[in-house]
Amino acid sequence: MLDDLSFGWRSAVLVVAEVQLLIVAAALARAMANRTANRTLALLLLVLVGIVTPWMIGFAGFYDKWRWLSFAPFQITLGVAPLFYFYVHALVTGTWPVPAWRHLAPPTLQFAFLTGSFLLPMPAKNAWSAIITTPYDIVTGIGAIAGMLFYGREALALLHRYRGLLATQRSDDHRFAATWISRAIAAGAALLAVWTVYAVWDALSPLGYTGLMGLYVAIAIFALFIAIEGWRHAALPFPTIESLAIPADPTPPPRDWRALGEAWAAQVRAEHWARDPDLSLATLARRLGTNTGHLSRALNEGLGVNFSTFINRLRCDAVAEAIAAGSTADLLDLALDAGFSSKASFNRAFQAAYGMAPSSYRRAHGSKAE
């Protein structure tokens, strides 16, 4: 029965990618942390597998052997952009945007259209295909491109807001800044450019199955990137935007926020509280005997910094003091002892605080040991 099929290198490349995506999707669906986000990403990966599938089986000759497969509802291209946005939204808020049905209406209609066309008898299906294929490809192609532009912008705006809140509440904000999602959006922009070029090219001069191979390899690469990065961050307990919101002080008494900020900074420095890598605004406020609103105002209005910058500057100062005292310990050990949780966050904070890399600072001010 399979003698008429031909599994060449094109089918092999796509099927290897699909198998990996399905494995990661199954693992994400079972993850307990960030359940809504991880299950949304698993659904997105399944949609991406569906987009690649017709080309994988088409290269193998499935459509030539079983013509009734035409219009099989594999390619729900209009679902990629909203599901990616849903993933970002669920990651930072814990839920999908409301109402979700408005965002999912286009892919639902696309699925219904393909399913209805797929169920037609073969003579009717062939006639329908000759009429509808070109306008359908144009409409869904424009819709997919427009969706990637719109939802990419929305995802970036949401991440920007999230990072701003993180910096006011967490000293380990770099762990949850989700820079990989920004890279995924950039990768999506590159995929959008490739998709647009292929769409225009194919409209002007039909490329056929083999000519579009590059596009579907690009889609598979994008899918594998977000699958791997999503799995790497699947168990990280992201604080939600709601939990990061600082309660408003309805009747704040007049205070000298600068004096308070300087007094609290001196106490934090004396107690070495910045060495706690998980230190948050709420934890520090409890230790200082105040509330998060007052502490936030003392830092923002009094000292002109957000919480993350304040704590990480204290950590950088601790490393600089150790270097000046002649410590020969490894820089990473000094950073971890000061409260940093990674080398990357230490290097970034130290560069911002002192205008040079930690190794350069040591050469200029301390021991020659690296």
Side-chain angles (χ1 to χ4, degrees):
M1 185 176 181
L2 299 179
D3 292 344
D4 297 334
L5 302 179
S6 175
F7 292 92
W9 68 268
R10 293 183 178 87
S11 294
V13 167
L14 296 178
V15 78
V16 167
E18 286 192 357
V19 169
Q20 294 178 77
L21 291 171
L22 290 172
I23 291 172
V24 176
L28 286 168
R30 295 171 59 87
M32 298 304 295
N34 308 315
R35 293 184 70 180
T36 301
N38 287 327
R39 291 181 178 182
T40 303
L41 181 55
L43 179 58
L44 172 58
L45 296 180
L46 292 178
V47 169
L48 288 167
V49 167
I51 290 174
V52 173
T53 293
W55 299 88
M56 184 273 292
I57 64 176
F59 286 129
F62 278 60
Y63 288 99
D64 293 329
K65 187 174 181 61
W66 298 294
R67 295 185 179 277
W68 54 266
L69 282 171
S70 60
F71 287 112
F74 294 126
Q75 291 189 315
I76 312 302
T77 53
L78 301 182
V80 175
L83 284 176
F84 181 80
Y85 174 67
F86 278 24
Y87 170 64
V88 176
H89 196 281
L91 203 61
V92 303
T93 70
T95 62
W96 279 9
V98 177
W101 67 266
R102 291 183 181 175
H103 303 274
L104 296 178
T108 301
L109 289 173
Q110 184 181 24
F111 178 80
F113 170 82
L114 289 174
T115 302
S117 300
F118 174 68
L119 296 176
L120 291 172
M122 277 306 300
K125 183 184 292 190
N126 290 335
W128 178 236
S129 177
I131 297 170
I132 202 62
T133 296
T134 298
Y136 170 81
D137 289 344
I138 292 173
V139 170
T140 55
I142 292 173
I145 291 171
M148 292 174 74
L149 286 171
F150 174 77
Y151 285 108
R153 184 190 64 183
E154 292 297 303
L156 280 174
L158 185 59
L159 281 176
H160 179 73
R161 178 187 170 206
Y162 184 62
R163 288 169 181 155
L165 288 171
L166 277 173
T168 66
Q169 290 271 6
R170 303 287 295 241
S171 62
D172 58 346
D173 54 312
H174 63 279
R175 296 174 61 202
F176 310 99
T179 54
W180 80 267
I181 295 181
S182 296
R183 293 194 293 269
I185 294 173
L191 175 61
L192 175 62
V194 172
W195 201 324
T196 303
V197 168
Y198 270 96
V200 173
W201 190 357
D202 190 46
L204 297 175
S205 177
L207 296 171
Y209 259 77
T210 57
L212 289 169
M213 178 65 181
L215 172 60
Y216 288 91
V217 168
I219 293 173
I221 291 172
F222 170 76
L224 286 170
F225 172 75
I226 63 173
I228 293 168
E229 289 294 329
W231 174 245
R232 285 183 58 222
H233 297 85
L236 186 63
F238 279 72
T240 64
I241 284 179
E242 183 179 356
S243 70
L244 295 172
I246 299 174
D249 191 347
T251 55
R255 292 173 181 266
D256 186 342
W257 295 114
R258 182 176 180 82
L260 271 176
E262 291 174 346
W264 284 338
Q267 185 175 353
V268 174
R269 188 178 293 108
E271 299 289 349
H272 304 291
W273 285 332
R275 291 182 176 176
D276 178 1
D278 298 319
L279 188 64
S280 67
L281 183 75
T283 300
L284 185 58
R286 285 195 297 270
R287 292 178 181 178
L288 291 169
T290 185
N291 59 52
T292 56
H294 286 173
L295 177 55
S296 181
R297 292 191 67 179
L299 296 178
N300 297 340
E301 299 178 26
L303 303 183
V305 295
N306 60 41
F307 176 73
S308 176
T309 301
F310 168 67
I311 294 299
N312 285 323
R313 177 58 193 250
L314 293 180
R315 292 167 177 170
C316 291
D317 290 345
V319 174
E321 290 168 5
I323 290 173
S327 172
T328 59
D330 184 81
L331 285 173
L332 180 58
D333 290 336
L334 291 177
L336 294 175
D337 185 60
F340 287 102
S341 57
S342 73
K343 182 178 180 180
S345 62
F346 165 56
N347 288 339
R348 184 165 52 248
F350 200 94
Q351 179 74 40
Y354 287 90
M356 63 178 72
S359 55
S360 300
Y361 187 89
R362 168 169 270 177
R363 285 192 294 269
H365 297 87
S367 167
K368 301 298 182 182
E370 295 296 331

